[in-house]
Amino acid sequence: MKRVLVLAGSSEARELIAAISSRFDVVASLAGATRAPLELGCETRVGGFGGVSGLVDYLRDARIDILVDATHPFAAQMTDHGAQAASLAGIAHVVLQREGWVPTAGDNWVFVDRFEEVAQIIPKGCTVFLGTGRQTLGDFANMVNRRLLCRVIDPPQGPFPYDSGRFVVGRPPFSIAEEVAFFQSESVEWLVVKNAGGTRSRSKLDAARQLGLPVVMQRRPALPDVPVVDRVSACVAWLEGQT
Ligand code: NAP
């Protein structure tokens, strides 16, 4: 049985592991960012590898035959390290990454590459929903005189870093009705979102369209020049081609 390392941290990683566990010897890897991650149902290691050289050592020591990068589309450093390490270790490698969202009729999206640009777009005095994760909060230091609501999965361990705003705790998925009710109850006027893609966190965009709210959408980082599949079924087929 071929031994597969799945770099996890996305819902697709969990689906992929469930689909291949009977045919491959699967090890999953999590960064350790979420305090209580959902069970993956396979051997799981947690924490960084120590850069590219650490990952190359791990691939050799753990006798990994195939690397599947099923990290989140914005985990750019891990994806870059995975591509370099697989090449150095001489093993097969594929990136599983869902397609990005595209606006449809009624959506009002403004695209940015960096969150530091958001302050030039959203006027002072507005209430802003940040669906971008706790780690991005430092990028919004120039958003003075706006009320920021930052949704996080784990309860915060420290105070909100800015005078005007707070954390909102919740684990997706949320229904469109839940998102509409939340945006209305907090008088949200703008959303800031990463172009994560997929259905699981799409409901906030559908809610924004229903309410006529504008959205600042961060574009995805570029992918390295490696094989990429955009669905779990295509990844399973790619893996079967490696046996
Ligand atoms: P990142 O910036 O690309 O990676 C930073 C470092 O974290 C990597 O260099 C690596 O450390 C370690 N790392 C990341 N993913 C790992 C994994 N699956 N297994 C072991 N080590 C990992 O990543 P990130 O954006 O902080 O994301 C961290 C994790 O959260 C990923 O698994 C990702 O799928 C998940 N996630 C990210 C986002 C997001 O918006 N970025 C959203 C939802 C989930 P070393 O260099 O020491 O190996």
Side-chain angles (χ1 to χ4, degrees):
M1 232 187 221
K2 294 245 180 186
R3 194 153 157 82
V4 179
L5 174 64
V6 177
L7 299 175
S10 65
S11 51
E12 285 78 9
R14 188 173 304 108
E15 286 169 35
L16 177 72
I17 289 165
I20 63 171
S21 303
S22 59
R23 283 166 284 168
F24 293 88
D25 179 11
V26 183
V27 187
S29 177
L30 289 170
T34 305
R35 265 177 254 149
L38 299 176
E39 183 60 43
L40 287 167
C42 69
E43 178 187 339
T44 303
R45 62 162 304 286
V46 179
F49 297 94
V52 175
S53 62
L55 181 52
V56 172
D57 289 346
Y58 176 84
L59 293 172
R60 290 188 175 137
D61 294 347
R63 298 171 185 269
I64 302 296
D65 300 304
I66 303 171
L67 176 65
V68 179
D69 179 346
T71 56
H72 187 273
F74 282 83
Q77 182 169 303
M78 188 69 255
T79 293
D80 184 46
H81 287 185
Q84 291 186 53
S87 165
L88 288 166
I91 65 167
H93 171 225
V94 67
V95 173
L96 167 58
Q97 189 170 106
R98 64 183 94 122
E99 284 186 346
W101 292 313
V102 288
T104 55
D107 285 324
N108 177 8
W109 297 1
V110 184
F111 288 89
V112 295
D113 289 311
R114 298 166 58 252
F115 290 133
E116 287 83 351
E117 300 167 44
V118 177
Q120 295 159 22
I121 297 164
I122 300 183
K124 288 184 176 163
C126 286
T127 293
V128 184
F129 171 76
L130 302 179
T132 55
R134 182 195 325 256
Q135 287 89 343
T136 66
L137 264 178
D139 297 340
F140 295 99
N142 61 358
M143 289 279 282
V144 287
N145 296 327
R146 284 88 166 175
R147 179 170 165 257
L148 305 179
L149 301 172
C150 176
R151 186 149 68 198
V152 292
I153 292 177
D154 291 318
Q157 289 187 316
F160 197 73
Y162 306 120
D163 287 344
S164 180
R166 63 179 169 84
F167 290 111
V168 180
V169 179
R171 189 189 279 269
F174 303 97
S175 68
I176 299 171
E178 285 171 328
E179 296 288 46
V180 166
F182 170 68
F183 295 151
Q184 284 181 324
S185 70
E186 294 287 350
S187 303
V188 168
E189 295 165 281
W190 280 83
L191 280 69
V192 183
V193 171
K194 293 176 176 177
N195 194 343
T199 51
R200 207 171 139 76
S201 55
R202 162 91 223 181
S203 55
K204 56 181 173 274
L205 298 171
D206 296 328
R209 189 193 311 115
Q210 256 185 43
L211 295 169
L213 299 178
V215 175
V216 179
M217 180 70 69
Q218 187 187 30
R219 292 187 190 91
R220 288 180 171 193
L223 279 169
D225 189 15
V226 296
V228 180
V229 290
D230 64 8
R231 283 162 203 273
V232 170
S233 57
C235 195
V236 173
W238 184 92
L239 280 166
E240 282 168 348
Q242 303 297 310
T243 56

